[in-house]
């Protein structure tokens, strides 16, 4: 399948768990992003949301993050990963593969388009790119190549711990409390489970404000993640590509460690990665 030569356009779409971000592109100009929630992870649900994003039109789709095609092993150059043409519930889809790693075992799918876009716009970047999401990835980059990566389930663990403590999914948090908790998490990650239990108890008993509880949970988990990922960020150039809620949380934890960070817009990076893949094939 090849890119159309008419002005009919195409759809750029990136899937992150059950969240689909999509842009219709006509004459090279993308429309504002649409953010759609899938009811489940089935191919039928994905196809229905892609059709909804098209608004009744029928476009070729360039899709990242789907897992519809096998990932490519690292080391890999994200900008050179080939699109695979498939049919999805009658739609013409060009799927971008993710990357995988044998040891430690890992797979990165939804963040690949963002990483690719960032490296296309910053071709001389050498260092580490942190991509938080439902799964967070720390990717070692050298000469435009993803050399290795390490993943963490911090976002999923924070959500579960917050619910257990009776906290709302999205709440205010105290920056100073997060910094203190992150320092605790880095210093003694082996106490993570015990410290989370203490936060839960204090929250349930009304002895800790919600903003402090949110901050303690995130800080402890981020501290443990930073301790595990120390070989990736210590002494490295570091870029952070995350949606606003996660960007602020990760930036605060990194700032508390006096780590300089370059920030990049996740939606812009994903669109850039998908667009370059489409134009280059």
């Amino acid at each position: 399948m090849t890119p159309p030569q008419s002005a009919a356009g195409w759809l750029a779409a990136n899937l992150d768990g059950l969240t689909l971000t999509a842009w219709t592109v006509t004459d090279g100009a993308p429309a504002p992003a649409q953010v759609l929630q899938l009811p489940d992870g089935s191919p039928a649900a994905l196809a229905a949301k892609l059709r909804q994003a098209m608004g009744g039109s029928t476009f070729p789709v360039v899709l990242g993050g789907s897992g519809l095609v096998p990932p490519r092993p690292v080391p890999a150059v994200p900008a050179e990963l080939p699109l695979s043409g498939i049919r999805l519930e009658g739609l013409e889809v060009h799927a971008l593969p993710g990357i995988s790693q044998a040891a430690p075992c890992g797979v990165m799918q939804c963040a690949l388009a963002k990483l690719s876009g960032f490296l296309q716009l910053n071709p001389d970047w050498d260092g580490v790119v942190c991509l938080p999401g439902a799964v967070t990835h720390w990717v070692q980059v050298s000469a435009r190549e993803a050399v290795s990566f390490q993943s963490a389930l911090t976002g999923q663990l924070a959500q579960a711990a917050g619910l257990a403590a009776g906290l709302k999914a999205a709440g205010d948090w105290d920056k100073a409390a997060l910094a203190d908790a992150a320092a605790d998490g880095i210093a003694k990650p082996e106490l993570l489970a015990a410290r989370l239990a203490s936060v839960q108890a204090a929250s349930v008993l009304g002895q800790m404000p919600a903003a402090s509880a949110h901050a303690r949970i995130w800080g402890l988990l981020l501290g443990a993640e930073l301790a595990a990922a120390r070989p990736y960020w210590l002494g490295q150039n570091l870029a952070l590509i995350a949606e606003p809620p996660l960007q602020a949380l990760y930036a605060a934890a990194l700032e508390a460690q006096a780590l300089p960070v370059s920030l990049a817009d996740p939606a812009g990076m994903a669109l850039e990665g998908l667009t370059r893949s489409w134009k280059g094939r």
Side-chain angles (χ1 to χ4, degrees):
M1 297 183 227
T2 58
Q5 302 302 314
S6 70
W10 57 286
L11 185 77
N14 199 51
L15 185 64
D16 186 352
L18 295 178
T19 300
L20 182 73
T21 305
W23 303 260
T24 54
V25 183
T26 305
D27 290 331
Q34 303 177 62
V35 180
L36 307 171
Q37 295 297 319
L38 277 65
D40 55 62
S42 67
L46 174 57
K49 290 301 178 180
L50 289 171
R51 286 192 169 92
Q52 180 179 338
M54 294 181 200
S57 302
T58 302
F59 298 142
V61 178
V62 179
L63 178 63
S66 68
L68 293 173
V69 295
R72 301 299 179 96
V74 294
V77 180
E80 296 179 0
L81 294 178
L83 295 173
S84 296
I86 60 174
R87 301 297 295 185
L88 177 68
E89 303 287 322
L91 294 176
E92 177 188 343
V93 172
H94 303 259
L96 182 67
I99 56 176
S100 64
Q101 182 173 264
C105 186
V107 62
M108 188 175 85
Q109 295 175 330
C110 65
L112 195 282
K114 302 171 191 175
L115 177 64
S116 178
F118 177 81
L119 296 180
Q120 300 261 18
L121 293 172
N122 301 275
D124 297 325
W125 178 268
D126 269 25
V128 172
V129 181
C130 178
L131 299 127
V135 181
T136 296
H137 305 286
W138 296 79
V139 188
Q140 179 188 5
V141 173
S142 180
R144 307 187 187 187
E145 186 175 66
V147 178
S148 67
F149 65 96
Q150 180 170 301
S151 305
L153 297 181
T154 301
Q156 296 180 45
L157 292 172
Q159 182 180 29
L163 290 174
L167 301 173
K168 295 180 180 179
D172 295 332
W173 51 277
D174 181 274
K175 186 174 182 179
L178 184 142
D180 288 343
D184 290 342
I186 291 176
K188 292 191 175 182
E190 70 274 14
L191 295 179
L192 173 63
R195 284 171 167 161
L196 287 175
S198 180
V199 174
Q200 177 180 319
S203 179
V204 170
L205 293 173
Q207 298 176 3
M208 183 178 292
S212 296
H214 269 295
R216 288 287 298 171
I217 289 171
W218 270 102
L220 289 168
L221 287 166
L222 287 170
E225 180 182 329
L226 287 173
R230 193 188 304 270
Y232 278 80
W233 53 261
L234 188 62
Q236 297 286 335
N237 293 323
L238 181 59
L240 177 63
I241 307 175
E243 298 295 338
L246 288 177
Q247 184 185 85
L249 289 161
Y250 271 79
L254 293 168
E255 178 186 326
Q257 300 306 308
L259 295 174
V261 179
S262 298
L263 302 179
D265 171 51
M269 296 304 101
L271 178 59
E272 184 70 23
L274 295 168
T275 299
R276 296 286 189 102
S277 293
W278 182 234
K279 288 182 176 179
R281 288 156 174 80

